[in-house]
Amino acid sequence: MAIKSELLEQLIAIRREHNEFMKLADIAIVDAGEGTARLEFTAAPKHINPQGVVQGGVMMTAVDAAMATALAYLNDKIATIDMNYHFLGAVHEGEHVVCEARVIKPGRRIIVTEGTLKVGEKLVGNATASFMTSGVPMIEEDA
């Protein structure tokens, strides 16, 4: 599904500017296209749990956001309906985490995505998620 680049840019801007939780967690959208996305964050004290590593919920939030951002090209108010996350390594304060996501199974109503989290070349997490489309556009397009 081809989307006008201007519309895709607007949809990504909405995700950057109006996702207060991502802003609070300092998770940034670095790149996004039709079915792909890259988000990054640097582990800060606010991300660290009592065991001295990044809280699991931060990792899951980052990859969920990456997978949802990979679907921005749909111009649809999507919802995560299922997510499976595997913790594969710990992330420590100061480490830079890169989350990459892509669509692996497009569908009319249900879309399946996958995402990875890496610190350098080290894979620290991966996930798959299913999203449901609502049929409600994020931005009304001119006819």
Side-chain angles (χ1 to χ4, degrees):
M1 172 181 176
I3 183 172
K4 294 178 186 172
S5 61
E6 300 83 24
L7 178 58
L8 182 58
E9 288 173 21
Q10 288 178 309
L11 292 162
I12 299 304
I14 288 170
R15 296 194 61 76
R16 279 190 179 110
E17 297 165 16
H18 299 287
N19 189 323
E20 296 301 319
F21 191 70
M22 278 179 50
K23 290 191 310 190
L24 180 67
D26 290 326
I27 299 168
I29 298 170
V30 175
D31 190 30
E34 289 189 41
T36 63
R38 179 183 172 118
L39 280 65
E40 299 179 3
F41 71 95
T42 299
K46 66 182 170 185
H47 299 125
I48 304 301
N49 67 20
Q51 286 77 38
V53 296
V54 171
Q55 173 71 31
V58 173
M59 306 287 281
M60 294 176 74
T61 294
V63 76
D64 180 50
M67 292 184 290
T69 300
L71 300 178
Y73 75 99
L74 296 172
N75 189 21
D76 191 281
K77 292 185 178 181
I78 57 153
T80 309
I81 58 172
D82 178 68
M83 186 165 104
N84 187 357
Y85 185 87
H86 297 277
F87 295 94
L88 303 173
V91 177
H92 299 89
E93 186 176 339
E95 292 184 319
H96 190 73
V97 180
V98 175
C99 306
E100 293 184 321
R102 69 183 184 99
V103 172
I104 59 173
K105 176 88 170 74
R108 273 183 278 174
R109 293 290 316 268
I110 307 294
I111 298 109
V112 181
T113 61
E114 70 177 359
T116 59
L117 293 92
K118 290 183 177 181
V119 172
E121 294 299 313
K122 178 183 163 193
L123 184 65
V124 295
N126 76 346
T128 56
S130 299
F131 292 83
M132 180 178 280
T133 61
S134 67
V136 178
M138 289 292 294
I139 298 174
E140 291 292 335
E141 295 182 71
D142 297 329

